[in-house]
Amino acid sequence: MPLIGGLPIAEPMQHDKPYFFVGIGGSGMMPLAMILAGQGATVAGSDRSLDAGRLPAKFDDLERRGIALFAQDGSGITSPDQILVASAAIEASVPDMVRAAALGNERMTRAELNAALFNAAPQSIGVAGTSGKSTVTGMIGWILHACGRDPTVMNGAVMKNFASPDAPFASALVGAGEAYVSEVDESDGSIALYRPRVAVLNNVSLDHMPMAQLIALFGAFIAKAGTAVVNLDNGEGAALAMTLPADRLTSFAIERDADLVARNLEQQPFGAAFDLHAGGAAPVRVTLQVPGRHNISNALAALGAVQAAGVPLDAAVRAIAGFTGLKRRFELVGEAGGVAVIDDFGHNPDKIAATLDTLHAFPGRLLLLFQPHGYGPLKVMRGELVAMFASKLGADDLLVLPDPVYQGGTVTREVTSADIVADVAATGRRALHIPDREAAAAHLAAQARAGDRIVIMGARDDTLSLLAQDMIDQMSG
């Protein structure tokens, strides 16, 4: 694959070659497949969830876009001309990988392909940080779209503004404009592949790797940007901002000095508002359809990014009022018997804390089902996760942990859900380990009473949304 400065670039001729995605239903894979298909490429793929009959609506959506789907048995790999796209987590023993190795197919990781498309775009806007990436990416994409910029957007979550009955899994948008907006993942180090014109850094906090590594990765990412949009409310982010020349930095913060400042905050159960102070201009009232202090911060990040991309701030403020949020980001699934059921992607200490803070701003007990997204993250985050639950859970709240999501492959189970529950319970908070997820959900549904809020939390498992709906059905019966 051609390189510039050691980084991949996209060539139009590559779209003359067919692509085959192994694990095409993944949150990072599906939008890429959509983008390629929307740009006229021939795309096919396989997925173990397809073979297992899970989430058929997702695969129906892909097929409606002209993407051919195959069993993950090697049958879809028919030519050495196919470019194989697979995440680093796909085992070499998967039949598709065995077949591709035998034929000598070119292989790309998800991140390599996304970086190639991103770096080739005239206006590349990359969103990084431990929390808030998908929401800020969605906000930027919606503002650019509403302002007539016709962007391409690569997101890890379904953007409600672009979803429809014909396209229910709108985690990507394919446009003809210059902008390519993408969230950029630090968990595997692939953030190093991206060369952003505009870089957003929401925050730096513990998640997938030690803090020193995160700081180095994020620092290198924003150093490459023409303009870096950085959160001064985050200590590590503020320190990294100090490393940049003033003419390449746009800072943002809540109620403290920065280029973009939010003041006079108004919290609502499913929305928020604030006064935006930018430079010496008169403050402008910003209204949001997503709740919480963290989403006010996300809005500042998005406004800073589109301003750096040439959108007038007043137009951006008008547009962001129409942003309706993402699936599985503080999403009200429904209510039954006076109990609200909320589906949320919270899976690391910062994300979960933000959701709990947003909910605790209003009355009502919280019943939480948190499904960890793997045994490895539990080991890395154990201390911070326990400390967060100890400080953020109310005296009457109840936390239930089923076992972590497991979708095949080898895994070391050094720290388990039972360990986390024991640690949390030792702090005096109410926590239970119920290994089976459906049993955990049934227990919470049985405990719920009018005025409670049930929150389903976790990542890397789209079936959690179905679980949330099942709980409403249980309580309605």
Side-chain angles (χ1 to χ4, degrees):
M1 175 171 204
L3 302 176
I4 287 183
L7 298 174
I9 61 168
E11 285 190 318
M13 62 167 286
Q14 287 198 318
H15 283 1
D16 294 335
K17 285 189 171 186
Y19 294 84
F20 190 92
F21 284 67
V22 184
I24 196 167
S27 62
M29 297 280 270
M30 186 172 178
L32 266 183
M34 291 175 173
I35 289 170
L36 288 175
Q39 291 179 349
T42 299
V43 183
S46 67
D47 198 282
R48 58 178 55 141
S49 290
L50 174 68
D51 294 352
R54 293 195 297 266
L55 296 166
K58 172 184 283 190
F59 298 105
D60 290 346
D61 191 4
L62 286 169
E63 288 186 317
R64 278 195 298 271
R65 297 168 188 267
I67 294 171
L69 299 176
F70 295 85
Q72 204 167 80
D73 58 6
S75 60
I77 311 294
T78 57
S79 164
D81 288 337
Q82 289 169 292
I83 297 173
L84 189 81
V85 184
S87 75
I90 298 291
E91 301 91 350
S93 59
V94 170
D96 287 343
M97 305 300 290
V98 173
R99 177 68 175 155
L103 290 179
N105 293 73
E106 178 184 350
R107 178 178 173 181
M108 299 179 75
T109 65
R110 176 202 61 78
E112 287 169 345
L113 176 56
N114 190 42
L117 295 168
F118 180 93
N119 292 339
Q123 190 171 69
S124 53
I125 304 174
V127 182
T130 316
S131 303
K133 292 188 291 291
S134 298
T135 297
V136 174
T137 299
M139 285 176 168
I140 294 169
W142 171 248
I143 294 168
L144 293 175
H145 174 82
C147 293
R149 300 299 179 96
D150 199 16
T152 294
V153 183
M154 156 70 201
N155 207 331
V158 174
M159 297 173 282
K160 291 182 183 179
N161 286 97
F162 303 118
S164 68
D166 291 336
F169 293 90
S171 53
L173 182 68
V174 183
E178 293 190 340
Y180 189 103
V181 186
S182 179
E183 62 172 291
V184 176
D185 188 13
E186 81 287 348
S187 65
D188 58 0
S190 62
I191 187 173
L193 297 172
Y194 295 83
R195 293 196 311 275
R197 299 293 177 91
V198 178
V200 176
L201 180 58
N202 291 338
N203 43 58
V204 185
S205 61
L206 196 67
D207 192 344
H208 297 281
M209 61 179 64
M211 185 62 78
Q213 287 178 253
L214 288 173
I215 292 169
L217 285 170
F218 288 134
F221 175 69
I222 62 173
K224 289 184 284 191
T227 302
V229 183
V230 183
N231 182 6
L232 298 189
D233 289 326
N234 175 258
E236 302 295 352
L240 286 172
M242 297 291 290
T243 67
L244 297 172
D247 62 345
R248 288 175 42 218
L249 172 67
T250 296
S251 61
F252 65 91
I254 295 175
E255 296 175 335
R256 71 171 71 187
D257 289 342
D259 296 317
L260 298 175
V261 184
R263 301 189 189 277
N264 192 20
L265 277 56
E266 179 187 348
Q267 302 272 13
Q268 301 154 7
F270 289 93
F274 63 93
D275 289 340
L276 174 65
H277 295 254
V284 179
R285 194 67 176 167
V286 179
T287 60
L288 303 176
Q289 296 186 55
V290 289
R293 187 181 178 94
H294 62 295
N295 274 320
I296 292 173
S297 182
N298 289 338
L300 291 172
L303 292 168
V306 297
Q307 184 182 39
V311 176
L313 206 51
D314 58 345
V317 167
R318 288 193 299 272
I320 203 170
F323 175 71
T324 53
L326 307 178
K327 291 284 189 181
R328 300 218 62 237
R329 300 317 191 267
F330 205 92
E331 181 182 10
L332 178 63
V333 179
E335 296 188 37
V339 178
V341 178
I342 295 165
D343 188 20
D344 191 71
F345 192 68
H347 62 279
N348 66 35
D350 277 7
K351 285 184 170 76
I352 296 171
T355 295
L356 297 187
D357 284 344
T358 300
L359 287 162
H360 278 308
F362 300 92
R365 186 173 64 148
L366 304 185
L367 304 178
L368 310 176
L369 188 154
F370 169 48
Q371 177 181 270
H373 60 292
Y375 289 92
L378 274 190
K379 181 181 177 182
V380 172
M381 298 186 297
R382 180 176 185 171
E384 288 76 9
L385 203 56
V386 171
M388 179 275 300
F389 280 127
S391 66
K392 298 296 183 181
L393 287 173
D396 294 330
D397 295 343
L398 174 61
L399 169 68
V400 175
L401 266 70
D403 287 338
V405 62
Y406 175 68
Q407 295 174 337
T410 56
V411 64
T412 302
R413 306 183 184 208
E414 292 181 48
V415 176
T416 67
S417 292
D419 294 326
I420 302 298
V421 163
D423 291 353
V424 173
T427 71
R429 297 304 182 190
R430 299 173 65 215
L432 294 173
H433 173 226
I434 301 177
D436 178 74
R437 188 178 79 176
E438 280 65 32
H443 180 80
L444 286 184
Q447 296 285 314
R449 57 179 184 260
D452 289 346
R453 282 81 52 81
I454 292 177
V455 190
I456 308 298
M457 301 179 118
R460 297 182 186 169
D461 186 355
D462 291 341
T463 65
L464 286 169
S465 298
L466 303 180
L467 184 71
Q469 185 60 56
D470 287 346
M471 294 183 77
I472 294 170
D473 295 342
Q474 285 178 42
M475 292 186 294
S476 300

